[in-house]
Amino acid sequence: MCGIVGYIGKKQAYPILINGLKRLEYRGYDSAGIALLDGDLKSYKKSGKVKDLEHYLKKKDLNGTMGMGHTRWATHGAPNDVNAHPHLSETKDLAIIHNGIIENYYTLKEGLLQRGYKFLSNTDTEVLIHLIQDIKQNEKVGIDEAVRIALNEVIGAYAIVVLSKDDPDVLIAAKTASPLVVGVGKDEYFISSDVTPFVEYTKKVIYLNDGEMVIIKKGKLIIKTIKNLIKTPYIQKLEVDLERLEKGGYEHFMLKEIYEQPRSIMDSMRGRFNTSENRLVLGGLNEMEHRLKNLRRIIFVACGTSWHASLIGERLIEDFARIPVEVEYASEFRYRNPIIGADDMVIAISQSGETADTLAAVELAKSKGANVFGICNVVGSAIARTCHAGAYTHAGPEIGVASTKAFTAQLTVLALVALSLAEKRGTLGKRDFKRLLIALEQIPSLVEKCLASNDEIKKIAKRFKDSKNFLYLGRGYQFPVALEGALKLKEISYIHAEGYPAAEMKHGPIALIDEHMPVVVIAANKSTYEKVVSNTEEVKARKGIIIAVTKEDDTTMRNLADYTLEVPETEEVFSPMLSIIPLQLLAYHIAILRGCNVDQPRNLAKSVTVE
Ligand code: G6P
């Protein structure tokens, strides 16, 4: 978490930095700061959002053609002005911004305290700038060398940018385990946590690897490892357009992203199958084919919404390809001693491709010889680059913190993975395969139909905006949808919500049901339909208020429920891609009616780069 941005070139740095911070704000938004170098080293910081910083800076001296900015999600130290970044050296001539956690900061701090350094903040980051100053003074080295030596003493995760007042033509950045990209423009360079701050200036990017640093000195760029090995920069071409980073007339990114789903699902499918030829090609899986000969088991590792997608992936792969599947929280998996080996395939799902726990789970699986396949949205992200092979979801940038279009894009790719594995193993007949491909192809237009219920959902939202609790029930393919629907609501509206397997309700949550409890029942599947109806009866008998997500023309559920949200009919295995849509909209409207900030909910961040 935390977003960082740096600039060195001929333009004024401030407008680039402040706009960059606005685009990076999804990574953290409890405080923000900027440093500019223009003869003087000017550093300004403020608790609150980037717009609070912008307001605070209105009358300040913001001149300078190099600088850096930071938006924070607090780990060490409360979110206040002092703990905000940049942090300065005691001499006030060095400044640093940092994304990550310095795990041995306490030991380093002890040493610095003994050498007489005084600390102003409670952050781990301040330790690093004092350490750099200490090395620079004692070893009489330049700023780049001082940073390099200091980083050899650091254990943990970092993406940093450092400025030095005495070196007005040098910008230094480095990374390990936190993301950092360099944008290469004409006579200018950008450094950032992701590419969004500079897409309008350059399409040339360099993704730094762990343990690498970049030194931009007198207009020249040098990349070396912190062990002092010079590296040849590998410049890649970026394919993101500006329009996809803006709200495009919608009030919030989340709403825009919900409405983008017909297109983003289509983009996830594009070029990957052809129904008339009954052909499906997933390049990443083909690359791995030789590794999959003795495939014994698949294990999903993921967090949050991506974990919910994994639960659907489990069902799809077991149904289509008849391979045993397990689903693990990445944060649990990484600290167990899992029994996995060369016959196992680990599938890591991550929108950002950065989640620290998922990345660690991938590394653990690789170290045990498993074959690791990644399903990520952000191109060039750490998880995507660490896996043996993978498939991008191509949903486009997702900026709202609560994941929406990334989820349905993940489900699309999972359907393709499951079908492709089934084809390779001969577990699906040709006709079934074709029927499913045709059904998948129709999903974008069916999602469009689901979106048409928006006004109706708004009315339901009005009725329930003051509820204190919600229960979401589903079975089979709809159980993960119940979990995801509940997660959406709690993330952005702060209403307590629980997702539960509908039949499991009677083993506990049923005790919560009374006339104040809204229960969202997802009854859009064929296979357990009657059972879900019975479970709904059980809720009704205890006076619970029922909001049912049903197939069109389901009179049984319509009679039973207090409110119904209809979704079109599709193959049951793909129905989560439809039934989640009204639940995303319901959460959105409830949150808006409660006055919540849906794009930046409290305490959350989109990329969780800490454990
Ligand atoms: C954070 C986000 C969630 C996301 C989860 C996993 O908690 O707020 O929306 O589902 O991380 O992120 P990933 O990028 O790995 O899918």
Side-chain angles (χ1 to χ4, degrees):
M1 2 252 285
C2 299
I4 66 177
V5 55
Y7 175 78
I8 181 165
K10 300 208 160 123
K11 299 189 179 84
Q12 280 297 305
Y14 174 70
I16 296 170
L17 298 175
I18 200 83
N19 279 334
L21 287 183
K22 286 179 189 162
R23 294 205 186 130
L24 291 173
E25 213 171 6
Y26 72 88
R27 305 179 64 85
Y29 34 82
D30 59 41
S31 48
I34 289 228
L36 294 158
L37 197 53
D38 176 32
D40 255 359
L41 179 58
K42 297 166 281 195
S43 171
Y44 311 107
K45 50 192 191 170
K46 201 87 205 107
S47 65
K49 302 243 154 82
V50 173
K51 68 172 174 7
D52 299 315
L53 174 73
E54 198 177 15
H55 183 73
Y56 168 69
L57 293 180
K58 277 216 165 102
K59 294 207 173 103
K60 303 275 191 244
D61 168 12
L62 298 171
N63 270 318
T65 54
M66 69 185 285
M68 61 191 188
H70 185 273
T71 178
R72 180 169 187 246
W73 187 90
T75 58
H76 295 57
N80 56 29
D81 292 355
V82 177
N83 289 330
H85 298 214
H87 290 282
L88 301 183
S89 60
E90 273 191 357
T91 46
K92 307 274 181 255
D93 56 1
L94 302 177
I96 190 168
I97 54 173
H98 169 219
N99 164 210
I101 291 185
I102 296 169
E103 286 170 9
N104 61 336
Y105 88 101
Y106 193 74
T107 322
L108 294 173
K109 188 170 179 174
E110 285 288 289
L112 288 161
L113 282 169
Q114 276 169 20
R115 295 203 286 282
Y117 283 86
K118 293 198 177 54
F119 286 79
L120 301 177
S121 76
N122 307 110
T123 64
D124 49 336
T125 308
E126 195 186 355
V127 173
L128 190 50
I129 199 65
H130 291 326
L131 183 64
I132 293 169
Q133 182 200 321
D134 196 60
I135 293 169
K136 187 169 179 270
Q137 281 170 349
N138 291 333
E139 306 205 9
K140 310 234 172 330
V141 288
I143 180 64
D144 46 341
E145 195 52 8
V147 171
R148 191 188 69 74
I149 297 169
L151 290 177
N152 278 284
E153 293 188 33
V154 165
I155 300 171
Y158 57 81
I160 57 163
V161 184
V162 176
L163 290 180
S164 160
K165 187 179 162 195
D166 298 338
D167 303 87
D169 48 8
V170 184
L171 187 76
I172 300 163
K175 74 148 259 161
T176 284
S178 294
L180 202 65
V181 286
V182 183
V184 182
K186 194 170 176 301
D187 300 326
E188 62 185 356
Y189 293 93
F190 306 81
I191 308 273
S192 180
S193 302
D194 73 21
V195 299
T196 58
F198 59 77
V199 277
E200 62 262 59
Y201 302 107
T202 180
K203 296 277 188 270
K204 291 202 261 174
V205 291
I206 302 168
Y207 292 97
L208 286 193
N209 292 311
D210 284 349
E212 285 181 356
M213 59 192 290
V214 54
I215 302 150
I216 300 158
K217 209 181 219 173
K218 295 198 168 101
K220 292 237 152 44
L221 172 138
I222 303 162
I223 295 182
K224 55 161 85 169
T225 67
I226 61 167
K227 300 287 173 219
N228 220 4
L229 279 176
I230 297 289
K231 294 280 194 153
T232 312
Y234 172 48
I235 299 182
Q236 301 188 40
K237 190 163 177 292
L238 195 66
E239 278 162 29
V240 182
D241 37 326
L242 194 54
E243 175 210 325
R244 303 192 84 177
L245 300 173
E246 288 170 349
K247 286 191 196 143
Y250 287 90
E251 213 170 318
H252 299 98
F253 280 110
M254 182 180 178
L255 192 62
K256 176 189 175 221
E257 287 156 7
I258 292 174
Y259 271 86
E260 270 176 355
Q261 288 176 106
R263 169 171 145 186
S264 52
I265 293 174
M266 189 87 87
D267 288 344
S268 313
M269 298 176 178
R270 201 180 303 285
R272 287 176 163 163
F273 66 88
N274 181 324
T275 43
S276 51
E277 290 170 24
N278 212 16
R279 197 168 48 84
L280 161 60
V281 181
L282 261 189
L285 263 193
N286 291 352
E287 254 173 60
M288 261 193 143
E289 201 150 3
H290 62 288
R291 293 170 175 269
L292 300 179
K293 285 218 172 69
N294 304 314
L295 183 59
R296 191 172 57 112
R297 185 177 54 152
I298 290 178
I299 303 167
F300 279 99
V301 291
C303 304
T305 290
S306 300
W307 187 81
H308 295 155
S310 304
L311 292 175
I312 295 171
E314 172 186 34
R315 286 158 174 78
L316 288 165
I317 291 175
E318 292 196 345
D319 274 351
F320 296 172
R322 308 303 299 143
I323 303 167
V325 180
E326 289 168 23
V327 180
E328 299 261 7
Y329 285 113
S331 53
E332 288 297 314
F333 178 84
R334 64 177 292 193
Y335 286 116
R336 290 205 285 106
N337 187 9
I339 304 163
I340 48 171
D343 298 344
D344 293 314
M345 176 176 174
V346 168
I347 303 184
I349 307 188
S350 174
Q351 186 286 129
S352 62
E354 270 184 44
T355 304
D357 285 320
T358 310
L359 182 58
V362 165
E363 277 158 358
L364 175 68
K366 275 178 84 176
S367 74
K368 294 196 173 267
N371 305 297
V372 188
F373 187 84
I375 299 179
C376 298
N377 193 37
V378 177
V379 176
S381 53
I383 294 172
R385 287 186 295 147
T386 309
C387 292
H388 293 120
Y392 283 116
T393 45
H394 297 307
E398 190 181 64
I399 294 167
V401 166
S403 188
T404 52
K405 66 172 180 173
F407 177 67
T408 46
Q410 287 166 349
L411 299 189
T412 310
V413 171
L414 284 166
L416 296 176
V417 167
L419 284 167
S420 178
L421 288 171
E423 194 185 29
K424 291 185 197 312
R425 295 166 67 88
T427 46
L428 266 182
K430 275 214 163 77
R431 281 177 51 189
D432 285 338
F433 187 76
K434 182 158 190 156
R435 195 193 76 242
L436 290 163
L437 278 187
I438 291 172
L440 194 57
E441 200 172 35
Q442 288 164 351
I443 294 291
S445 61
L446 300 181
V447 169
E448 200 87 63
K449 280 192 169 178
C450 298
L451 293 168
S453 322
N454 186 42
D455 289 343
E456 218 174 300
I457 297 170
K458 228 188 249 177
K459 284 187 208 143
I460 301 179
K462 263 194 196 133
R463 160 75 179 79
F464 292 102
K465 72 175 181 34
D466 296 318
S467 298
K468 299 268 178 289
N469 297 288
F470 261 78
L471 192 59
Y472 285 69
L473 302 177
R475 295 183 81 146
Y477 277 89
Q478 306 300 350
F479 164 52
V481 177
L483 292 176
E484 177 60 10
L487 179 65
K488 288 303 86 132
L489 188 69
K490 61 188 149 195
E491 278 180 317
I492 59 170
S493 74
Y494 319 138
I495 296 176
H496 171 251
E498 253 189 88
Y500 235 75
E504 201 48 33
M505 166 192 66
K506 52 189 165 299
H507 301 291
I510 201 164
L512 301 170
I513 293 174
D514 61 15
E515 67 275 24
H516 304 296
M517 175 66 103
V519 182
V520 178
V521 182
I522 306 138
N525 35 338
K526 248 187 224 142
S527 59
T528 47
Y529 176 74
E530 285 77 16
K531 310 278 176 206
V532 174
V533 171
S534 308
N535 298 139
T536 312
E537 295 276 12
E538 291 156 14
V539 173
K540 199 171 170 85
R542 285 152 187 90
K543 300 199 173 72
I545 317 158
I546 297 156
I547 305 162
V549 178
T550 68
K551 282 183 289 185
E552 285 165 346
D553 307 324
D554 178 347
T555 44
T556 313
M557 279 307 280
R558 199 182 296 153
N559 291 335
L560 202 53
D562 298 276
Y563 302 88
T564 43
L565 295 167
E566 291 185 350
V567 291
E569 175 119 37
T570 180
E571 290 287 338
E572 178 161 346
V573 290
F574 302 142
S575 58
M577 286 194 247
L578 304 184
S579 49
I580 191 59
I581 307 291
L583 303 187
Q584 293 171 343
L585 285 168
L586 183 66
Y588 171 81
H589 288 299
I590 291 180
I592 293 293
L593 290 166
R594 288 165 69 92
C596 301
N597 183 340
V598 293
D599 282 338
Q600 294 170 348
R602 70 182 181 206
N603 303 340
L604 297 178
K606 188 145 190 76
S607 292
V608 182
T609 54
V610 297
E611 294 187 32

